[in-house]
Amino acid sequence: EAAELINADRMGSWNRYYEMLSTLADAGCIELPFVPDGCEHNAHMFWIKAADLEERTRLIAFLKEQGIHTAPAGQKFGRFNGEDRYTTKESERLLRLPMYYGLKEEQVQYIAGKVREFYGK
């Protein structure tokens, strides 16, 4: 019954992340999600890509120090099956930012601000 409300809430958070982190992407510090023309997404997650595993590891540690934690479900249920040609290289750069229904604008601003602080922007 509340699907439209929930999706609109998540989409707002997703868009705020994107806007606040675009300067880092423009500067070549991170990569942001890409949504091809003519496609839609449901804002179920927001991710960034760091340069490499070492940078991502430092960013995760920095965010944890700031009270920003990774998703426990992702750590518990995430796994890989099959031959790995490209996945590990890209997943080692990937960092999911908190995204859920009810995430407040000030929380998104805080999280994005800390990511920008990490990169000195």
Side-chain angles (χ1 to χ4, degrees):
E1 293 177 12
E4 288 181 29
L5 175 68
I6 292 168
N7 194 53
D9 178 83
R10 287 192 326 217
M11 192 65 73
S13 296
W14 196 98
N15 289 333
R16 281 189 288 283
Y17 273 135
Y18 198 92
E19 291 166 10
M20 294 188 70
L21 297 172
S22 288
T23 56
L24 290 179
D26 294 343
C29 298
I30 62 171
E31 289 181 35
L32 292 175
F34 173 74
V35 181
D37 291 337
C39 295
E40 295 180 14
H41 64 93
N42 65 2
H44 75 284
M45 74 169 130
F46 190 91
W47 54 264
I48 62 173
K49 284 187 182 178
D52 53 34
L53 176 60
E54 180 183 327
E55 182 177 286
R56 185 191 80 158
T57 300
R58 287 185 315 190
L59 176 55
I60 289 171
F62 175 78
L63 293 176
K64 282 185 179 181
E65 290 172 3
Q66 309 304 314
I68 301 165
H69 301 282
T70 56
Q75 293 173 343
K76 181 177 180 181
F77 299 113
R79 63 184 174 276
F80 182 82
N81 294 312
E83 185 180 352
D84 182 5
R85 294 187 184 168
Y86 311 103
T87 306
T88 297
K89 178 182 170 189
E90 292 304 308
S91 67
E92 287 179 344
R93 300 174 52 217
L94 191 72
L95 173 63
R96 290 176 59 166
L97 298 181
M99 173 62 74
Y100 53 88
Y101 173 65
L103 185 63
K104 306 266 188 274
E105 182 171 352
E106 52 272 9
Q107 292 172 300
V108 172
Q109 290 175 356
Y110 178 78
I111 295 162
K114 291 301 178 181
V115 172
R116 289 168 54 169
E117 181 181 326
F118 176 83
Y119 286 100
K121 305 285 183 194

